[in-house]
């Protein structure tokens, strides 16, 4: 046999390697990447395999405008997407939307002067950044900010950065729009140039949408002048392609039917569980805590054992909702998609920076049921964008009028709290809106967001079982046939009814796919994750606390008192623990009425429950009045450095409690009203006064 020389060996090795590569393609390499296979399951939300260098990303994708969002409920993300679309269609900007947590910011000092950065920033809780904006906020407001080229505040390292800013806030909170204000101040401090005014939207006044619309027009004018942009006629340019897949069926293993990521699709979900990756938790207990038939309040126990989900007393649990079948049907029907609901679709970004908001391939039904916020109030700008797709000339004109006349829009749409399908039905019920691209619905409607509830149990007492207390929402709109039904609370009520033997639960006429995609939620499960809160008991249990929590605002205080009762039983010294609680009637909606005596037995004289039943006498009585009646005791405890907590309605109750407390301090200490208010502000600043409120 002839001896093989070196060249022959090289040729053989190359041929062998090529053969192996050819036959293993698609099995070990060259596998199409599923963006939901890993990125959405990462604990910190960082996108594996993608650059965190924002300038590199803009350069490689040819962008000259980046719109960052800091969003907790999805609204800021929606506004960022709308700015990106408008900037592209009206002014020819090369835009990209960016999640703040996806990038590093050390090289902001190298941001090119011929590009622009936009910041759309929501303020969360008591002046805090949203979860995805924490890293950026801490960087830009740090005491010793380190940019890539060094440089101090005096050196104005951000002199080349042109930016735009809009904030989403709520005037019922103490720190209104503090996120955008602090970021704006920091950027200016380091030499950046703001284009236009820093806009502020007020959810508390119900003017968020109109505030945004009023802000953006002069902003575009200023930006066009600064960057020498030419405005053109805006036309719809899809961000996503939607392809119907005849080669796939809902039974195909690779088709997502509502699963949030690939691990869930394959039935092997694993942690860490977070806002991108829920834990499918069993509901081990559910019961009604109201004693009237026309209203519901649910108590649920969620088992998180085996998930490594950890919570502390005062934290929040997030429930991932499912849209009601009635609303899913309405949405699909008005678009002429009802018969195609189980058709498989693939959704892809037409731009490398466009991020599809849910995993695909999926079906029309699954996308609408599990991923799209179809029940949310609709914006005037979105209605206007659909005018060109109206089935008739008369309906097109009506859509244009609604989009251009804010008073008319308020009268016909926003005051009625209509969702997008209801709007289209009312404008033209005789025709299906078949010309509306499904892509514009994906782009124009927010991704459905988890709903957060104050945990009503103590982690010291029940470490692996989380309690939820939730009033089921059903709001009758005055002068309208429309009834707004809470998406998540009615979903939970359906689960409770099913768990108690109802074979076909339909709370308030709504049905839900409560067994989940491919029956993965069967056996009474619900997708959840935990969000940590700063609403906390003092570390020293001997420190006194005063709690004000009417209605379901009592939820976290049940956990607080449960914890203090356990500490007292364990022999620890527990300080004075006072709860001001209010509801309509002691015989109808007195939450946990039977439990307070049990806690009192453990806490003894250190526990006091002070009630205000608003409808048990001719004149209504609220917790604010009870607080005034105990002015001397409240002031004395505050002088002992008692922590003061408020949970519940931000717009009325929480604001009034704050005012009353300032009055108590002023009167009891002989101060002016202004000095009393200053004391309350100081308490807030030192975390002695804490709020867990909503509007």
């Amino acid at each position: 046999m002839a001896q093989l020389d070196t060249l022959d060996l090289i040729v053989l090795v190359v041929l062998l390697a090529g053969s192996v590569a050819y036959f293993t393609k698609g099995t070990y390499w060259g596998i199409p990447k599923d963006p939901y296979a890993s990125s959405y399951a990462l604990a910190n939300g960082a996108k594996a395999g993608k650059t965190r260098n924002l300038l590199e990303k803009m350069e490689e994708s040819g962008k000259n405008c980046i719109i960052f969002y800091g969003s907790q409920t999805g609204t800021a993300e929606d506004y960022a997407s709308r700015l990106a679309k408008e900037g592209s269609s009206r002014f020819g900007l090369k835009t990209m939307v960016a999640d703040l947590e996806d990038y590093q910011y050390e090289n902001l000092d190298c941001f090119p002067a011929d590009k622009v950065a936009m910041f759309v920033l929501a303020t969360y809780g008591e002046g805090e950044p949203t979860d995805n904006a924490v890293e950026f906020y801490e960087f830009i407001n740090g005491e010793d900010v380190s940019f890539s080229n060094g440089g101090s505040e005096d050196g104005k390292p951000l002199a080349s950065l042109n930016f735009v800013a809009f904030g989403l806030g709520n005037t019922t909170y103490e720190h209104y729009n503090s996120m955008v204000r602090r970021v704006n101040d920091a950027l200016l401090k380091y030499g950046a140039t703001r284009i236009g005014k820093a806009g502020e939207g007020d959810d508390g006044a119900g003017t968020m949408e109109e505030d945004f619309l009023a802000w953006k027009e002069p902003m575009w004018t200023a930006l066009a002048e600064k960057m020498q942009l030419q405005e053109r006629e805006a036309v719809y340019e899809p961000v996503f392609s939607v392809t119907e897949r005849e080669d796939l069926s809902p039974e195909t293993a690779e088709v997502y039917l509502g699963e949030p990521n690939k691990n869930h699709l394959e039935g092997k979900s694993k942690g860490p569980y977070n806002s991108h990756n829920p834990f499918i938790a069993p509901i081990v207990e559910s019961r009604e805590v109201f004693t009237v038939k026309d209203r519901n309040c649910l108590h649920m126990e969620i088992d998180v054992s085996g998930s490594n989900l950890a919570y502390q007393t005062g934290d929040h649990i997030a429930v991932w909702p499912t849209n009601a079948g009635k609303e899913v049907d309405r949405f699909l029907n008005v678009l002429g998609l009802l018969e195609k609901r189980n058709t498989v679709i693939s959704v892809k970004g037409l731009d490398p920076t466009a991020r599809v908001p849910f995993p695909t391939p999926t079906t029309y039904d699954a996308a609408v049921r599990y991923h799209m916020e179809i029940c949310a109030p609709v914006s005037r700008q979105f209605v206007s964008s659909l005018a060109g797709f109206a089935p008739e000339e008369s309906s097109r004109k009506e859509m244009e009028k609604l989009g251009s006349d804010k008073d008319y829009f308020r009268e016909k749409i926003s005051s009625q709290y209509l969702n997008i399908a209801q709007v289209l039905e009312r404008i033209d019920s005789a025709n299906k809106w078949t010309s509306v691209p499904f892509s514009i619905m994906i782009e124009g409607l927010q991704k459905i967001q988890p709903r957060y509830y104050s945990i009503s149990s103590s982690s010291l007492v029940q470490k692996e079982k989380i309690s939820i207390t939730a009033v089921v929402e059903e709001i009758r709109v005055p002068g309208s046939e429309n009834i707004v039904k809470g998406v998540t609370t009615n979903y939970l009520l359906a689960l409770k009814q099913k768990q108690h033997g109802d074979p076909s639960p339909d709370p308030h006429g709504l049905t839900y796919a409560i067994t989940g995609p491919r029956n993965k939620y069967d056996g009474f499960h619900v997708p959840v994750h935990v969000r940590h809160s700063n609403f906390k008991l003092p570390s020293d249990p001997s420190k006194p606390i005063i709690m004000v929590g009417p209605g379901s605002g009592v939820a976290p205080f049940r956990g607080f008192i449960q914890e203090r009762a356990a500490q007292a039983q364990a022999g620890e010294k527990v300080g004075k623990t006072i709860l001001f609680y209010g509801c309509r009637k002691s015989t109808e909606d007195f939450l946990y009425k039977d439990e307070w005596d049990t806690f009192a037995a453990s806490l003894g004289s250190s526990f006091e429950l002070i009630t205000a039943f608003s409808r048990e006498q001719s004149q209504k009585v609220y917790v604010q009045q009870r607080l005034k009646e105990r002015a001397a005791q409240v002031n004395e405890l505050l002088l002992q450095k008692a922590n003061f907590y408020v949970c519940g309605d931000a717009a009325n109750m929480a604001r009034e409690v704050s005012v009353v407390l300032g009055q108590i301090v002023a009167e009891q200490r002989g101060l002016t009203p202004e000095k009393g208010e200053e004391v309350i502000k100081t308490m807030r600043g030192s975390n002695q006064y804490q709020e867990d409120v909503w509007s």
Side-chain angles (χ1 to χ4, degrees):
M1 184 173 176
Q3 195 77 11
L4 291 172
D5 62 22
T6 303
L7 181 60
D8 293 331
L9 283 171
I10 291 172
V11 171
L12 283 171
V13 169
V14 170
L15 288 171
L16 179 61
S19 299
V20 170
Y22 178 83
F23 288 110
T24 60
K25 182 180 180 182
T27 303
Y28 296 107
W29 72 284
I31 305 168
K33 182 166 177 59
D34 179 354
Y36 288 83
S38 58
S39 65
Y40 267 43
L42 293 176
N44 60 6
K47 308 303 177 283
K50 295 186 179 181
T51 179
R52 284 176 57 79
N53 184 319
L54 63 95
L55 300 183
E56 186 178 289
K57 183 67 175 179
M58 291 181 73
E59 187 65 32
E60 70 182 23
S61 55
K63 304 301 181 185
N64 61 359
C65 175
I66 186 167
I67 302 104
F68 294 106
Y69 65 86
S71 187
Q72 197 71 35
T73 63
T75 306
E77 182 179 1
D78 175 52
Y79 283 6
S81 297
R82 286 160 63 178
L83 288 172
K85 288 185 66 176
E86 193 170 354
S88 173
S89 62
R90 281 180 64 184
F91 298 98
L93 284 167
K94 304 300 182 184
T95 59
M96 65 175 284
V97 176
D99 187 332
L100 273 168
E101 71 179 356
D102 287 354
Y103 296 94
Q104 294 171 329
Y105 301 94
E106 288 83 356
N107 62 353
L108 272 177
D109 58 339
C110 300
F111 200 91
D114 61 346
K115 294 177 169 56
V116 64
M118 298 186 179
F119 295 89
V120 185
L121 306 171
T123 297
Y124 164 63
E126 291 305 301
E128 301 156 31
T130 56
D131 291 347
N132 74 315
V134 170
E135 185 180 345
F136 167 71
Y137 177 79
E138 291 178 346
F139 170 79
I140 204 68
N141 284 284
E143 291 184 6
D144 187 21
V145 179
S146 178
F147 292 108
S148 58
N149 291 325
S152 63
E153 177 184 336
D154 295 337
K156 305 299 181 187
L158 300 185
S160 66
L161 174 66
N162 294 307
F163 76 97
V164 165
F166 183 81
L168 295 81
N170 189 316
T171 47
T172 61
Y173 290 79
E174 174 76 8
H175 303 284
Y176 173 62
N177 260 313
S178 63
M179 181 64 178
V180 75
R181 292 177 181 182
R182 290 172 185 166
V183 168
N184 173 71
D185 290 347
L187 294 174
L188 293 175
K189 179 177 73 173
Y190 289 112
T193 300
R194 189 185 67 237
I195 299 171
K197 292 182 178 180
E200 294 184 353
D202 184 6
D203 193 41
T207 59
M208 180 73 77
E209 178 69 17
E210 292 302 328
D211 292 339
F212 174 69
L213 296 179
W215 163 80
K216 71 179 181 64
E217 285 310 314
M219 180 277 293
W220 285 128
T221 301
L223 184 63
E225 183 179 342
K226 176 75 175 179
M227 297 185 69
Q228 298 183 326
L229 305 173
Q230 295 297 317
E231 185 170 1
R232 59 191 187 184
E233 184 180 355
V235 293
Y236 172 62
E237 298 173 350
V239 176
F240 304 112
S241 68
V242 180
T243 307
E244 295 184 355
R245 300 285 300 274
E246 294 181 1
D247 58 318
L248 298 175
S249 76
E251 289 74 35
T252 308
E254 70 186 81
V255 175
Y256 291 84
L257 297 182
E259 297 91 348
N261 56 47
K262 193 169 185 179
N263 284 334
H264 283 269
L265 176 69
E266 296 176 347
K268 53 183 182 183
S269 71
K270 58 184 179 180
Y273 297 106
N274 51 38
S275 59
H276 301 300
N277 183 41
F279 173 61
I280 311 303
I283 300 169
V284 293
E285 181 189 338
S286 61
R287 57 187 168 91
E288 177 65 57
V289 284
F290 280 173
T291 55
V292 288
K293 292 183 178 180
D294 61 336
R295 293 189 298 144
N296 300 94
C297 182
L298 304 174
H299 175 89
M300 286 186 159
E301 298 284 346
I302 310 297
D303 185 357
V304 294
S305 59
S307 68
N308 284 327
L309 277 176
Y311 80 99
Q312 292 182 319
T313 309
D315 281 346
H316 301 138
I317 185 169
V319 176
W320 292 46
T322 297
N323 282 314
K326 179 180 179 180
E327 293 302 331
V328 174
D329 292 348
R330 186 201 306 273
F331 184 88
L332 293 172
N333 182 57
V334 79
L335 295 180
L337 293 172
L338 202 56
E339 293 182 0
K340 300 172 74 173
R341 69 189 314 155
N342 294 317
T343 298
V344 176
I345 56 173
S346 286
V347 182
K348 294 182 179 178
L350 294 174
D351 181 279
T353 65
R355 179 176 168 186
V356 180
F358 48 79
T360 73
T362 186
T363 64
Y364 285 116
D365 185 280
V368 174
R369 189 178 301 275
Y370 292 102
H371 299 296
M372 296 167 67
E373 197 76 84
I374 61 171
C375 295
V378 64
S379 74
R380 184 159 61 91
Q381 187 177 9
F382 186 47
V383 168
S384 178
S385 72
L386 297 179
F389 305 105
E392 300 281 353
E393 180 66 14
S394 58
S395 49
R396 181 187 66 80
K397 288 181 178 178
E398 178 68 4
M399 294 285 275
E400 288 176 346
K401 183 178 181 181
L402 287 166
S404 60
D405 188 333
K406 69 178 182 180
D407 294 328
Y408 186 65
F409 183 81
R410 184 185 305 113
E411 176 193 348
K412 296 292 184 180
I413 307 297
S414 59
S415 66
Q416 307 295 304
Y417 297 94
L418 300 180
N419 62 44
I420 187 59
Q422 290 172 323
V423 170
L424 300 183
E425 278 183 340
R426 289 200 178 189
I427 291 173
D428 192 338
S429 59
N431 297 291
K432 298 288 188 283
W433 293 65
T434 53
S435 296
V436 175
F438 195 67
S439 58
I440 202 172
M441 288 298 187
I442 298 172
E443 297 158 21
L445 298 176
Q446 295 179 31
K447 180 179 179 180
I448 197 166
Q449 297 294 316
R451 271 52 168 187
Y452 294 93
Y453 299 91
S454 301
I455 293 174
S456 55
S457 54
S458 162
S459 56
L460 178 68
V461 176
Q462 46 185 79
K463 180 181 177 183
E464 296 187 325
K465 199 162 63 170
I466 293 176
S467 299
I468 296 178
T469 308
V471 173
V472 179
E473 294 176 275
E474 186 188 37
I475 303 169
R476 296 184 179 273
V477 181
S480 170
E481 295 178 1
N482 189 37
I483 301 173
V484 182
K485 302 177 179 72
V487 172
T488 309
T489 53
N490 280 280
Y491 168 51
L492 292 176
L493 180 55
L495 282 163
K496 178 256 179 186
Q497 291 175 346
K498 181 77 171 177
Q499 191 167 40
H500 285 258
D502 187 338
S504 304
D506 60 342
H508 302 128
L510 304 176
T511 57
Y512 293 85
I514 57 179
T515 59
R518 293 184 170 88
N519 294 319
K520 289 173 180 173
Y521 303 172
D522 202 9
F524 315 113
H525 287 72
V526 65
V528 301
H529 71 269
V530 170
R531 183 177 71 187
H532 298 296
S533 163
N534 293 323
F535 196 72
K536 291 287 179 284
L537 279 166
S539 56
D540 179 3
S542 68
K543 190 175 182 178
I545 62 173
I546 303 167
M547 301 162 286
V548 182
S552 60
V554 79
F557 302 138
R558 177 182 181 267
F560 282 17
I561 295 167
Q562 187 183 56
E563 181 150 320
R564 289 206 148 192
Q567 289 169 329
Q569 284 183 319
E572 294 188 58
K573 182 182 178 182
V574 174
K576 191 68 176 178
T577 303
I578 299 181
L579 171 63
F580 289 88
Y581 172 73
C583 63
R584 293 182 184 180
K585 292 184 178 181
S586 58
T587 55
E588 292 184 359
D589 52 358
F590 190 173
L591 298 184
Y592 304 113
K593 181 178 181 179
D594 299 331
E595 292 188 13
W596 305 121
D597 288 341
T598 304
F599 293 140
S602 300
L603 289 165
S605 60
S606 65
F607 176 62
E608 231 181 313
L609 173 64
I610 300 160
T611 57
F613 302 117
S614 63
R615 300 188 184 182
E616 287 196 352
Q617 56 283 312
S618 57
Q619 289 191 329
K620 292 182 178 180
V621 178
Y622 298 109
V623 288
Q624 300 92 299
Q625 291 155 279
R626 295 291 187 237
L627 201 61
K628 278 185 179 180
E629 294 168 4
R630 297 293 188 110
Q633 182 186 22
V634 167
N635 180 60
E636 182 58 34
L637 289 171
L638 293 180
L639 290 172
Q640 296 173 28
K641 300 301 180 184
N643 275 13
F644 190 88
Y645 302 92
V646 183
C647 182
D649 166 47
N652 298 303
M653 182 277 299
R655 177 174 283 186
E656 290 174 19
V657 165
S658 180
V659 170
V660 167
L661 193 64
Q663 292 170 350
I664 288 173
V665 167
E667 291 167 5
Q668 293 292 313
R669 302 181 190 180
L671 305 174
T672 64
E674 292 75 21
K675 287 289 185 182
E677 290 177 9
E678 285 182 22
V679 171
I680 303 306
K681 286 185 178 179
T682 302
M683 287 174 60
R684 289 178 183 275
S686 65
N687 240 21
Q688 187 183 355
Y689 190 123
Q690 298 182 34
E691 289 182 316
D692 183 1
V693 293
W694 56 86
S695 58

